[in-house]
Amino acid sequence: NAGVTQTPKFQVLKTGQSMTLQCAQDMNHNSMYWYRQDPGMGLRLIYYSASEGTTDKGEVPNGYNVSRLNKREFSLRLESAAPSQTFVYFCASSEAWSRSGNTIYFGEGSWLTVV
Amino acid sequence: RKEVEQDPGPFNVPEGATVAFNCTYSNSASQSFFWYRQDCRKEPKLLMSVYSSGNEDGRFTAQLNRASQYISLLIRDSKLSDSATYLCVVKPANAGKSTFGDGTTLTVKP
């Protein structure tokens, strides 16, 4: 059982380049999330998808777009990367957006550096 | 004011010590509470949920104080392997979005 799988694990981009981070979960979860984390700092929610067919902005959505391709897959796109987007990106999923006691499962992270 | 606040530490303790972390939250409608653990350069993982009556899992004890709006995590008999960052997570009823604290870093030394 792979859980949450995200790719790539490491990426270096030049300013202005675009890229898509891919994420898939095999736990039949309804909700999926993209977070970013500055090393030594907290997690910030970029976008989330409460259920298949819906996406919503989180705390820090500027400069990003997402696509909930199907129940399993949720991708994050940087259209024009900037050095300020150098973070570790975590994809995550949970069984249900509104359920109490809702455990969030994270992927292993994608280390993105924009130069 | 942040929705969820934690003392960032670092907490440096010797093996065998008892250490406690607190986390305060500002939204009185918060319904669910958790502690996650994050090892260096790894993803966060659920350590334990926090129940109203308090709960224990081996050396770990979690407490909730709704009146003062804080949760705590107590680690007894610290092990070297407990060295990590501990994230407090708060979730309101119905709204869905979980809020993570910035984490408290613990280093257990021999």
Side-chain angles (χ1 to χ4, degrees):
Chain A
N1 189 345
V4 180
T5 304
Q6 55 182 109
T7 57
K9 189 160 177 91
F10 299 98
Q11 184 73 48
V12 178
L13 285 179
K14 293 183 179 178
T15 298
Q17 285 185 317
S18 62
M19 79 159 297
T20 300
L21 299 175
Q22 307 287 352
C23 175
Q25 50 90 11
D26 62 4
M27 296 175 281
N28 200 35
H29 284 169
N30 290 299
S31 304
M32 297 187 73
Y33 315 84
W34 277 104
Y35 289 89
R36 73 184 195 196
Q37 186 177 39
D38 206 0
M41 300 292 286
L43 291 159
R44 296 290 176 262
L45 183 64
I46 305 171
Y47 271 92
Y48 65 94
S49 172
S51 60
E52 185 180 358
T54 70
T55 60
D56 284 286
K57 295 178 180 179
E59 302 170 70
V60 288
N62 292 342
Y64 306 94
N65 284 301
V66 291
S67 295
R68 183 76 183 265
L69 304 169
N70 48 55
K71 190 172 185 179
R72 289 186 65 246
E73 298 173 286
F74 187 40
S75 63
L76 177 72
R77 183 162 178 84
L78 286 70
E79 291 291 351
S80 179
S84 61
Q85 294 179 301
T86 294
F87 292 105
V88 182
Y89 291 83
F90 289 101
C91 179
S93 71
S94 65
E95 187 174 346
W97 170 251
S98 59
R99 183 170 300 171
S100 296
N102 190 33
T103 301
I104 299 174
Y105 296 86
F106 288 84
E108 293 185 340
S110 296
W111 270 253
L112 178 63
T113 302
V114 184
V115 297
Chain B
R1 184 187 171 189
K2 288 184 177 180
E3 283 188 59
V4 178
E5 295 203 65
Q6 296 183 247
D7 181 345
F11 285 68
N12 296 306
V13 302
E15 271 187 294
T18 295
V19 62
F21 311 134
N22 282 337
C23 166
T24 58
Y25 60 94
S26 59
N27 185 353
S28 59
S30 298
Q31 186 73 20
S32 303
F33 309 89
F34 312 87
W35 284 102
Y36 277 68
R37 170 191 170 131
Q38 185 173 24
D39 292 307
C40 187
R41 300 182 67 80
K42 297 288 188 180
E43 74 273 23
K45 293 182 179 178
L46 178 68
L47 177 66
M48 59 196 302
S49 301
V50 186
Y51 302 121
S52 297
S53 55
N55 49 297
E56 193 173 299
D57 183 1
R59 298 181 292 108
F60 298 83
T61 300
Q63 298 276 357
L64 167 63
N65 185 319
R66 287 192 185 271
S68 300
Q69 292 185 203
Y70 76 84
I71 67 173
S72 64
L73 178 68
L74 180 78
I75 306 175
R76 291 181 301 278
D77 189 23
S78 299
K79 311 291 184 191
L80 296 177
S81 58
D82 294 334
S83 297
T85 297
Y86 292 84
L87 305 172
C88 166
V89 183
V90 174
K91 182 180 181 300
N94 303 322
K97 185 174 79 72
S98 298
T99 301
F100 284 75
D102 288 348
T104 297
T105 299
L106 171 67
T107 301
V108 181
K109 299 188 174 181

